[in-house]
């Protein structure tokens, strides 16, 4: 039986290996190409660079304003991640533990928004609201939209995680005189470390890789562009339109931080996704 099970698992591992190669190959190609010159990228048939030089990174960091782009991305994502964690976990706690009139209806309306794919149609009303608040030409508009916009995925992950926490803890805290929000702050929130990692990683990936919304909000203020927008803008820039070496270096600088964060939080990320999925 053990030999039969091993033979059956071989095709599965082969298939997973093929998928892993397909996913990982573009990342390795970008990283290795970031050490090549533009001529080597366009003409060389070799997958590996002829020599390792960090000149592309130095030029991209200093000459192509990537230092500013990187700082803008870190600034934007830091506020978005922190704000999204607070709003998502708080709303998840309210929908999980509270009882108020219209709760199920509100949850149903929020859920139904998952089936509406408006795409770029959301941009105009978002921009109009940001203009009324005078934040339509800075990253603060993007930050506020991300934090206070309802992310249904984060909401359901938070609600499912908090549902898995025994309600007897809440009842014991109420006996000791804790209020509804005191229970959340002192008891529930400290127990949500895997959830914090999950929501934080998802919000970081979404905000770090987002292009359209930051691009629209920084059209009139190029100095506030985040890294992804800055890399794409290089393609239409007259000075760097053919600088594929700089774009590869910039793309690597955009990809590597996300990979590092994912590797560091992967354990908690999986725990946060799977918690509450199995009961019994």
């Amino acid at each position: 039986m053990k030999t039969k099970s091993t033979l059956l698992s071989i095709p599965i591992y082969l298939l997973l290996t093929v998928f892993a190669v397909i996913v990982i190959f573009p990342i390795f190609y970008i990283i290795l190409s970031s050490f090549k010159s533009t001529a080597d990228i366009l003409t060389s048939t070799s997958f590996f660079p002829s020599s390792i030089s960090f000149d592309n990174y130095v030029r991209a960091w200093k000459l192509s304003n990537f230092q500013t782009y990187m700082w803008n991305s870190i600034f934007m994502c830091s506020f978005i991640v922190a704000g999204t964690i607070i709003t998502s976990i708080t709303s998840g706690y309210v929908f999980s533990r509270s009882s108020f009139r219209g709760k199920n209806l509100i949850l149903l309306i929020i859920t139904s928004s998952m089936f509406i794919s408006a795409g770029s149609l959301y941009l105009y009303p978002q921009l109009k609201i940001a203009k009324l608040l005078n934040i339509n030409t800075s990253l603060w508009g993007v930050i506020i939209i991300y934090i206070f916009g309802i992310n249904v995925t984060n909401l359901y992950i938070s609600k499912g995680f908090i549902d898995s926490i025994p309600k007897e803890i809440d009842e014991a805290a109420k006996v000791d005189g804790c209020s509804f929000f005191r229970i959340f702050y002192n008891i529930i929130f400290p127990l949500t470390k895997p959830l914090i990692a999950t929501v934080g990683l998802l919000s970081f990936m979404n905000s770090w890789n987002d292009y359209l919304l930051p691009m629209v909000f920084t059209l009139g203020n190029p100095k506030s562009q985040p890294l992804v927008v800055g890399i794409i803008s290089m393609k239409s820039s007259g000075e760097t339109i053919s600088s594929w070496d700089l774009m590869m270096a910039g793309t690597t600088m955009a990809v590597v931080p996300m990979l590092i964060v994912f590797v560091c939080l992967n354990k908690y990320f999986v725990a946060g996704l799977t918690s509450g999925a199995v009961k019994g």
Side-chain angles (χ1 to χ4, degrees), residues 113-132:
S113 66
M114 296 178 64
F115 303 96
I116 302 174
S117 180
S120 59
L121 294 178
Y122 288 132
L123 281 175
Y124 182 72
Q126 288 173 344
L127 193 60
K128 289 289 289 183
I129 295 173
K131 190 174 183 179
L132 291 175

Side-chain angles (χ1 to χ4, degrees), residues 58-111:
V58 175
R59 290 167 55 211
W61 187 261
K62 294 183 178 180
L63 302 179
S64 299
N65 210 27
F66 273 43
Q67 182 177 2
T68 303
Y69 296 152
M70 180 69 78
W71 163 247
N72 291 337
S73 290
I74 294 174
F75 170 81
M76 179 183 72
C77 292
S78 298
F79 280 96
I80 289 175
V81 169
T84 303
I85 288 173
I86 295 173
T87 55
S88 297
I89 298 179
T90 302
S91 58
Y93 172 71
V94 170
F95 280 108
S96 174
R97 291 295 203 259
S98 67
S99 178
F100 56 90
R101 183 177 298 178
K103 183 181 79 170
N104 293 332
L105 178 61
I106 295 173
L107 191 61
L108 178 63
I109 294 173
I110 294 174
T111 305

Side-chain angles (χ1 to χ4, degrees), residues 3-185:
T3 304
K4 184 178 179 180
S5 177
T6 303
L7 292 174
L8 290 175
S9 63
I10 291 176
I12 298 176
Y13 283 112
L14 288 175
L15 185 62
L16 291 175
T17 302
V18 171
F19 280 121
V21 171
I22 293 174
V23 172
I24 296 174
F25 176 79
I27 299 175
F28 274 103
Y29 177 79
I30 291 172
I31 294 175
L32 292 176
S33 297
S34 66
F35 297 103
K36 298 180 181 179
S37 64
T38 300
D40 288 338
I41 294 174
L42 298 177
T43 61
S44 177
T45 57
S46 175
F47 183 71
F48 297 94
S50 57
S51 61
I52 300 296
S53 175
F54 292 92
D55 182 60
N56 291 340
Y57 291 93
V58 175
R59 290 167 55 211
W61 187 261
K62 294 183 178 180
L63 302 179
S64 299
N65 210 27
F66 273 43
Q67 182 177 2
T68 303
Y69 296 152
M70 180 69 78
W71 163 247
N72 291 337
S73 290
I74 294 174
F75 170 81
M76 179 183 72
C77 292
S78 298
F79 280 96
I80 289 175
V81 169
T84 303
I85 288 173
I86 295 173
T87 55
S88 297
I89 298 179
T90 302
S91 58
Y93 172 71
V94 170
F95 280 108
S96 174
R97 291 295 203 259
S98 67
S99 178
F100 56 90
R101 183 177 298 178
K103 183 181 79 170
N104 293 332
L105 178 61
I106 295 173
L107 191 61
L108 178 63
I109 294 173
I110 294 174
T111 305
S112 64
S113 66
M114 296 178 64
F115 303 96
I116 302 174
S117 180
S120 59
L121 294 178
Y122 288 132
L123 281 175
Y124 182 72
Q126 288 173 344
L127 193 60
K128 289 289 289 183
I129 295 173
K131 190 174 183 179
L132 291 175
L133 300 175
N134 199 27
I135 54 174
N136 60 309
T137 58
S138 70
L139 290 175
W140 281 111
V142 182
I143 292 170
I144 291 174
I145 288 174
Y146 261 99
I147 292 176
F148 294 102
I150 298 176
N151 189 301
V152 184
T153 302
N154 291 338
L155 173 60
Y156 267 91
I157 291 174
S158 302
K159 182 179 180 300
F161 186 95
I162 296 173
D163 284 340
S164 67
I165 299 176
K167 291 186 177 180
E168 288 77 9
I169 297 177
D170 300 42
E171 295 171 359
K174 288 179 182 177
V175 172
D176 292 335
C178 289
S179 63
F180 181 75
F181 287 102
R182 183 73 180 272
I183 294 172
F184 171 72
Y185 180 77

Side-chain angles (χ1 to χ4, degrees), residues 153-224:
T153 302
N154 291 338
L155 173 60
Y156 267 91
I157 291 174
S158 302
K159 182 179 180 300
F161 186 95
I162 296 173
D163 284 340
S164 67
I165 299 176
K167 291 186 177 180
E168 288 77 9
I169 297 177
D170 300 42
E171 295 171 359
K174 288 179 182 177
V175 172
D176 292 335
C178 289
S179 63
F180 181 75
F181 287 102
R182 183 73 180 272
I183 294 172
F184 171 72
Y185 180 77
N186 290 103
I187 299 174
I188 301 298
F189 191 77
L191 297 175
T192 60
K193 289 182 180 179
L195 177 60
I196 292 172
T198 303
V199 174
L201 182 57
L202 289 175
S203 60
F204 174 77
M205 291 172 62
N206 290 335
S207 58
W208 185 272
N209 291 324
D210 192 12
Y211 168 73
L212 187 59
L213 192 63
M215 184 271 293
V216 171
F217 274 78
T218 58
L219 278 175
N221 189 11
K223 291 184 178 180
S224 63

